[in-house]
Amino acid sequence: MKEPVILAIESSCDETGVAVLQGRKVISNVIATQKVHEQYGGVVPELASRAHQQNIVPTIQKALNDSGISFSDLSAIAVTAGPGLSGALLVGISFAKSLSMGLNVPLIAVDHMKAHVQAHFIDSGTPLPEFPMLCLTVSGGHTQLVLVSSPNELKEIGRTIDDAAGEAFDKAAKVLGLPYPGGPMIDKYSKNGNPQKFKFPFPETPDLKYSFSGLKTSLLYFLRKEKEKNECFIEDNISDICASFQEAVVSYLLIKLKKACTQVKPKSIALAGGVSANSRLRYLFSELSSQLNIPCYIPPIEFTTDNAAMIGISAYFEFLDNRFAELNLVPSPKASL
Ligand code: KG4
Ligand code: ZN
């Protein structure tokens, strides 16, 4: 059977992404990043919707041009249905619906968090990971432990009860006066810092539950106290503060992952979501994999932060399962796995 050709659209937050896939192969993958939010220190939903409206047509055109594929070759249109910002999702969904109607091809609704995990199944010339796979998904809005029994069977077995890991990085960066998004900045400064210099204790949460709000507060109180003694404390110690904070977040993430491994005995472990771009997490994650003797999968950077290739691969498995969306599809801002 000829593999389906899918055009996928991602517009859940502040990246307008469009990709074209044939089967599990990515033919083109284009991202228009919205710079407009930087000056506000976080994503402004209304501005995100407007920027998606401006970006969507040129991004689709570029993805098609790069792929050499024309509208008439497409087998289906895929779009992120949630979770995400409702106005931002609506831009992608409306556009995907019109394309699906105009081209008379099916519409596929994709769950953004499921897609982050399924990014591991993009054809990269290597075999699929062995199942069950246990994936730690860490993004700006979510922190989840997901048990994957087959490419399209995913179950959440652990999650955060408050802030997400990416949110903890972003909020910490804001307190430190670093620009948004803070995660990559903290990662960058940490490279020259001592991760053991300061201690930020992480909370004792039960089972496979995470909680990040206390970590951010402990950083805030610590800085307040130190700044009373030295007004330039942050400037003088920025690398050590970043490295120590990053170490606390990353160690906490991996402690629960290790605990989950003893419970569900996965055949492989994986990282997904924007925070999996973090260099310390990548390093300690592969160390854990060697220690536990379980093969690990770390996605290429281009498939960790929001992108449409992951939406396309998720849609591919929906296509194989004959799961299509109706044309009355609406955004699901709070969708969960
Ligand atoms: O998955 P993603 O692109 O968007 C959401 O679905 O949320 O994740 C964005 C998050 C942001 O919180 C950002 O600060 C974080 O990923 N991030 C990082 C790094 N790169 C991106 N956090 C730590 N270290 C990084 N290198
Ligand atoms: Zn995401």
Side-chain angles (χ1 to χ4, degrees):
M1 190 188 88
K2 207 169 144 260
E3 288 281 36
V5 181
I6 298 179
L7 180 133
I9 301 173
E10 154 63 32
S11 72
S12 66
C13 192
D14 58 344
E15 317 272 9
T16 317
V18 180
V20 178
L21 278 81
Q22 177 149 35
R24 292 197 295 117
K25 271 200 166 57
V26 177
I27 317 282
S28 67
N29 185 27
V30 180
I31 294 178
T33 301
Q34 305 179 359
K35 295 273 173 229
V36 61
H37 309 286
E38 273 171 18
Q39 57 186 303
Y40 300 101
V43 178
V44 183
E46 183 54 33
L47 295 180
S49 313
R50 264 191 247 166
H52 283 306
Q53 280 178 328
Q54 283 161 0
N55 293 344
I56 198 151
V57 173
T59 312
I60 287 179
Q61 268 164 354
K62 178 151 178 30
L64 280 175
N65 287 347
D66 287 1
S67 68
I69 278 171
S70 63
F71 277 126
S72 58
D73 298 323
L74 298 176
S75 321
I77 306 294
V79 66
T80 308
L85 302 168
S86 53
L89 289 166
L90 193 59
V91 177
I93 291 179
S94 310
F95 213 90
K97 278 185 193 175
S98 2
L99 275 180
S100 152
M101 260 192 285
L103 301 171
N104 198 23
V105 292
L107 178 69
I108 302 175
V110 171
D111 181 286
H112 181 92
M113 297 315 296
K114 193 173 170 187
H116 266 303
V117 179
Q118 290 171 317
H120 286 284
F121 311 141
I122 288 172
D123 188 348
S124 54
T126 48
L128 285 175
E130 265 197 87
F131 299 105
M133 176 179 102
L134 179 63
C135 185
L136 171 63
T137 313
V138 269
S139 74
H142 292 77
T143 300
Q144 296 174 319
L145 286 162
V146 180
L147 188 63
V148 189
S149 336
S150 75
N152 211 15
E153 275 177 279
L154 288 78
K155 188 175 161 220
E156 183 191 277
I157 59 165
R159 67 180 309 162
T160 177
I161 54 170
D162 44 49
D163 292 353
E167 208 174 340
F169 275 123
D170 293 338
K171 287 181 175 169
K174 202 168 181 175
V175 174
L176 292 167
L178 301 174
Y180 177 87
M185 296 303 293
I186 292 193
D187 194 355
K188 191 175 138 204
Y189 279 105
S190 297
K191 294 206 163 81
N192 302 315
N194 173 4
Q196 309 304 333
K197 181 81 182 276
F198 307 113
K199 288 277 168 258
F200 298 108
F202 39 78
E204 292 284 329
T205 39
D207 307 322
L208 303 179
K209 291 193 174 65
Y210 289 105
S211 165
F212 286 97
S213 62
L215 258 177
K216 166 204 68 195
T217 315
S218 81
L219 172 68
L220 194 69
Y221 288 158
F222 167 76
L223 292 177
R224 249 186 229 164
K225 211 173 84 205
E226 294 299 328
K227 270 162 67 179
E228 276 171 19
K229 294 182 255 170
N230 168 12
E231 230 179 81
C232 303
F233 179 78
I234 295 182
E235 293 78 355
D236 293 348
N237 295 279
I238 187 74
S239 296
D240 291 339
I241 303 170
C242 286
S244 303
F245 184 80
Q246 174 176 275
E247 197 68 8
V249 173
V250 169
S251 319
Y252 184 39
L253 284 171
L254 295 180
I255 280 176
K256 296 285 180 177
L257 174 67
K258 193 172 172 185
K259 189 169 187 178
C261 283
T262 58
Q263 289 181 10
V264 300
K265 304 195 172 26
K267 293 223 171 79
S268 58
I269 53 174
L271 274 184
V275 181
S276 60
N278 183 271
S279 56
R280 187 69 178 152
L281 178 59
R282 286 175 166 245
Y283 175 76
L284 291 179
F285 176 76
S286 38
E287 279 215 325
L288 180 68
S289 147
S290 318
Q291 187 197 331
L292 299 176
N293 201 19
I294 305 174
C296 71
Y297 294 86
I298 302 178
I301 297 276
E302 61 181 320
F303 299 142
T304 58
T305 42
D306 288 350
N307 66 88
M310 69 182 200
I311 305 304
I313 188 72
S314 186
Y316 169 71
F317 293 112
E318 295 294 295
F319 189 99
L320 294 186
D321 286 348
N322 274 312
R323 277 208 292 258
F324 300 108
E326 300 292 333
L327 283 174
N328 61 1
L329 177 71
V330 289
S332 309
K334 295 200 183 308
S336 57
L337 280 183

